[in-house]
Amino acid sequence: MVQLKSTEIERLLRLPEYSPIERLDKSSLTKEEHAQIRQVEEVVSFGQDLIDLFDWMIDARGTLPTQKDYVNSGINKMLKWLSENKPELEVTTVMVEACKTRLTRTYMSKVIELHFEASIREHMPEFKIITHPLDSVMGVDAVIEDNRKRYYMHITSNTPMAIKLLKVKESRGGYKLGNAFIKYNRDFNGDIMLKYDIHTETDTTMIINGFPLLRPDFIQWRLLLAGDSATAGESLDIPYSKLDHFTDWAKHQLKQDIQLKRGA
């Protein structure tokens, strides 16, 4: 697994080829075209291949892909998924553009999470990052732990809509196995939310070439608060943790023994 340093991520994002690509302008669309966009937005997941694409591209190339390359690679996977799982849909030009817009948002989120993990490794070595092959099922962006507690992290934009969608996300846990959807009951109680600002540099956020990134000192401050809080995170001594619940679910529902990896 290729691990990029935070400074390397920042350097790459400053390059002209990493500039965000233009998104679909919804202001001039018809009512019917807005309905077509909703059909794309209502799809919860376009499959594991798309979930894994960002990490796969980093490993395959040894560096951060540009947003343009990521979108070009992802759009065919999205259209293939629609063809196989929503054959009744007639995919229009507007729907293709909506898929591309969704990919640009995913790319931005992935870059923010990648930079967050690099910041943890470099500035907060007392924390270990926990990874596993089905991390999307739990609905959290990162799981980290120190010598006392475990923290389930959500990284989202500082907007009312994003915060509202996080609540919706809590009810959407599960995994598609063949044609069956195996439900997973998510629990976000005690989880930590890190909010970044989209367009303006603030105490929480730096903006590089249009991409917001969480400031390492803000992450440290937020985790310090969580460490002192009685309600944030979970004790490592808890008899049955959220990770225990997840691995038991995977073992009994998916017949998979999940191997957790703890890395600096």
Side-chain angles (χ1 to χ4, degrees):
M1 177 69 179
V2 175
Q3 288 190 345
L4 298 175
K5 292 186 176 181
S6 60
T7 51
E8 175 66 2
I9 297 168
E10 294 164 19
R11 184 191 72 80
L12 290 169
L13 290 179
R14 291 188 179 95
L15 299 176
E17 58 265 36
Y18 280 83
S19 298
I21 65 175
E22 188 174 346
R23 291 185 178 183
L24 175 66
D25 181 4
K26 299 179 183 178
S27 61
S28 60
L29 298 181
T30 66
K31 186 176 180 180
E32 181 182 353
E33 288 171 330
H34 277 287
Q36 293 169 9
I37 291 175
R38 281 195 299 274
Q39 288 180 306
V40 172
E41 295 295 340
E42 287 171 358
V43 176
V44 175
S45 171
F46 284 87
Q48 195 65 35
D49 281 352
L50 196 61
I51 291 171
D52 295 337
L53 177 62
F54 183 81
D55 292 337
W56 180 87
M57 292 184 76
I58 289 177
D59 282 342
R61 301 180 183 206
T63 190
L64 180 69
T66 66
Q67 189 181 70
K68 181 179 179 180
D69 283 346
Y70 175 77
V71 170
N72 287 342
S73 296
I75 189 64
N76 289 332
K77 294 182 182 297
M78 292 181 83
L79 296 178
K80 181 174 183 288
W81 189 95
L82 287 172
S83 174
E84 293 175 350
N85 295 274
K86 299 280 187 179
E88 71 280 6
L89 286 185
E90 180 183 350
V91 179
T92 65
T93 300
V94 167
M95 292 172 72
V96 172
E97 291 303 311
C99 285
K100 290 180 179 179
T101 296
R102 183 159 168 171
L103 284 164
T104 64
R105 297 200 305 266
T106 300
Y107 178 88
M108 181 175 288
S109 296
K110 292 287 189 181
V111 167
I112 294 169
E113 292 165 22
L114 186 72
H115 185 266
F116 164 81
E117 292 187 359
S119 297
I120 293 287
R121 289 194 303 269
E122 295 161 23
H123 301 285
M124 291 151 263
E126 67 272 23
F127 290 95
K128 288 183 169 53
I129 301 170
I130 301 174
T131 58
H132 53 79
L134 295 177
D135 52 2
S136 62
V137 173
M138 293 188 72
V140 297
D141 296 314
V143 181
I144 62 176
E145 63 184 24
D146 55 22
N147 61 355
R148 298 187 303 115
K149 296 171 76 174
R150 185 176 298 113
Y151 307 93
Y152 301 86
M153 315 295 296
H154 301 273
I155 302 172
T156 187
S157 62
N158 189 19
T159 61
M161 179 58 71
I163 296 167
K164 179 182 178 181
L165 288 175
L166 187 62
K167 191 63 182 175
V168 174
K169 184 180 177 182
E170 187 174 12
S171 65
R172 288 183 169 179
Y175 185 76
K176 190 170 184 181
L177 192 63
N179 293 323
F181 182 78
I182 313 298
K183 177 70 175 173
Y184 177 79
N185 293 319
R186 292 171 173 172
D187 175 13
F188 291 171
N189 286 327
D191 290 6
I192 313 302
M193 185 183 296
L194 297 177
K195 294 182 283 188
Y196 58 86
D197 294 291
I198 301 176
H199 302 298
T200 307
E201 291 217 346
T202 63
D203 291 342
T204 67
T205 313
M206 66 177 91
I207 306 289
I208 297 180
N209 198 11
F211 290 98
L213 302 172
L214 290 167
R215 295 186 185 276
D217 56 350
F218 164 67
I219 299 170
Q220 285 181 303
W221 172 80
R222 187 66 185 85
L223 287 171
L224 180 64
L225 285 183
D228 291 337
S229 169
T231 58
E234 65 181 15
S235 169
L236 297 185
D237 297 327
I238 192 172
Y240 193 73
S241 70
K242 292 182 185 181
L243 278 181
D244 292 330
H245 170 68
F246 168 72
T247 54
D248 282 352
W249 172 85
K251 184 175 182 178
H252 294 103
Q253 298 295 326
L254 306 183
K255 309 304 179 186
Q256 292 189 34
D257 286 320
I258 298 297
Q259 301 299 314
L260 303 175
K261 297 180 181 179
R262 287 171 168 81

